[in-house]
Amino acid sequence: MKRIRTLVLSGGGGRGAFHAGVYKFLTEAGKTGLDKDHSGVWDPQVVVGTSIGAVNGAAIVQGISAEALETIWLGLREHDIQGLPPGMQFVSRWIARRAFREIIGVRLPRVPSDLATSPAPDHFWPPLPLLPKWLGERLIGRWINLLDTGPLKRTLQDRMHFDAQRIAESQKTLLIAATKVQTGERVIFCNRQLLHRQTGETRQDVVAGITLDRVLASCSIPLVYPWTYDPETKAHYWDGAVVANTPLGAALDAVWEEPIEAPVEVVVVLMTPWWPSDGDVPPMARELPESFGDALTWTLDWALLASFRERLRLINAYNRFAEQERAEGRKPYRYRQVKVVVVAPDDFLPAARILDYDEVSGPLIEMGYQAARKAFVEHFGDNH
């Protein structure tokens, strides 16, 4: 029986060029060294994206080719994604620009008010409490996020040609994750109605419809970027990676109508190092972080990976039930077989890469391509 193919794209900001490299490999028609089922184009029926994974996922479901996605990433620069919020005044802009120049190597412009997505807070935050309020406000300004996503919204429209109608009409299922600011709940936006695979009822945590603002909501990193308001649900959202960087459960619910006998093949693209719990520990994990930057990167990556590890353990447990059912011939089957293929870099990508969109995208694309090839040869090599 034909396998159901699902692609899960994790968050990671500027690291998302890695996704483009993986997709480039998946769409190749003549892969060498693989079995006959995987040497051709690996075309997903379901795409799941969080944060920058939502951006790349929307592009894929919309029908952008791997070559076009690569070209877009090679042309992106920091000012195409972000800038300083218009509420920042002289002193805070000076400090922010010096800090970001140190982190990402460029001077970020202030986003014009007519393009900005940042809310204007009602209350002034006085980081200079010794100054009179009026003077502190004039020097510091009113802002509650470090960067503004107005440029990203424009890039989605002008470069990626985001088309909600094409996504709604696509034969592929797209799911993107976001986090409600005021409750901390994970919400999934989907281009079609999604039902629970066990009860057949509409999932309460899934909202039908993919809009430009909902893609932006999935990318709204707390404190760094502003939250995004969705008029239909009347809620404000932050980045989905806050609670679920790789929502595998929703991905499996997306194929609930398929016969339970049909196995699922899930390619999960991480932007953190990965190795199985029972595998050999790589050399870089035998050491400790050597700097504050290293410690920040490790902390962020392990936090993003935690929910995936737990979900993978659960999938492996259900797989054992599925294997037992089939070995004993106990029909009708209750459990679907799920094969998870993890594509990940061999080493840490610096945390600064989350905000960095520049010439390094080329090497990241190549890294993603090679990581995908390595994973496919390991799982689907023609010598298996």
Side-chain angles (χ1 to χ4, degrees), residues 44-56:
Q45 294 171 240
V46 179
V47 179
V48 183
T50 301
S51 197
I52 198 64
V55 172
N56 287 330

Side-chain angles (χ1 to χ4, degrees), residues 246 248 270 272-278 301-316:
T246 48
L248 284 174
L270 302 176
T272 59
W274 168 262
W275 62 92
S277 298
D278 56 351
D301 284 356
W302 295 155
L304 292 175
L305 203 58
S307 62
F308 172 70
R309 290 187 185 277
E310 292 303 315
R311 177 58 63 175
L312 187 59
R313 290 190 186 98
L314 187 60
I315 287 176
N316 289 336

Side-chain angles (χ1 to χ4, degrees), residues 247-325:
L248 284 174
L252 297 180
D253 285 339
V255 299
W256 77 279
E257 291 181 319
E258 299 288 344
I260 199 70
E261 291 82 9
V264 176
E265 200 167 84
V266 184
V267 171
V268 179
V269 186
L270 302 176
M271 286 179 282
T272 59
W274 168 262
W275 62 92
S277 298
D278 56 351
D280 294 332
V281 177
M284 60 90 179
R286 298 171 195 162
E287 307 296 333
L288 291 172
E290 297 181 354
S291 66
F292 181 82
D294 286 349
L296 178 63
T297 298
W298 286 42
T299 301
L300 175 65
D301 284 356
W302 295 155
L304 292 175
L305 203 58
S307 62
F308 172 70
R309 290 187 185 277
E310 292 303 315
R311 177 58 63 175
L312 187 59
R313 290 190 186 98
L314 187 60
I315 287 176
N316 289 336
Y318 279 117
N319 273 338
R320 288 191 288 271
F321 291 140
E323 291 169 5
Q324 186 175 353
E325 280 185 329

Side-chain angles (χ1 to χ4, degrees), residues 122-235:
D122 295 330
H123 301 287
F124 166 61
W125 173 55
L128 300 177
L130 299 180
L131 295 179
K133 181 177 180 181
W134 68 268
L135 181 58
E137 185 166 356
R138 181 168 293 182
L139 294 176
I140 303 301
R142 293 191 181 197
W143 44 275
I144 53 176
N145 44 271
L146 294 173
L147 295 172
D148 187 276
T149 50
L152 172 58
K153 190 171 185 177
R154 183 176 57 189
T155 294
L156 286 168
Q157 294 171 310
D158 297 346
R159 292 200 184 187
M160 292 192 170
H161 305 292
F162 177 86
D163 189 332
Q165 188 64 31
R166 289 185 65 182
I167 291 175
E169 295 172 351
S170 174
Q171 295 300 306
K172 300 181 187 297
T173 298
L174 173 64
L175 304 97
I176 61 176
T179 305
K180 277 190 177 182
V181 173
Q182 292 164 293
T183 65
E185 296 173 280
R186 185 205 67 182
V187 173
I188 298 290
F189 296 111
C190 185
N191 61 339
R192 54 181 48 89
Q193 188 182 52
L194 192 62
L195 305 181
H196 197 285
R197 64 182 180 274
Q198 294 177 333
T199 65
E201 299 177 351
T202 302
R203 284 187 56 146
Q204 297 302 307
D205 63 338
V206 177
V207 179
I210 302 292
T211 66
L212 181 61
D213 282 337
R214 288 175 177 179
V215 173
L216 202 64
S218 186
C219 300
S220 300
I221 303 172
L223 302 182
V224 178
Y225 298 137
W227 54 63
T228 302
Y229 180 71
D230 178 58
E232 183 181 334
T233 59
K234 299 179 180 179

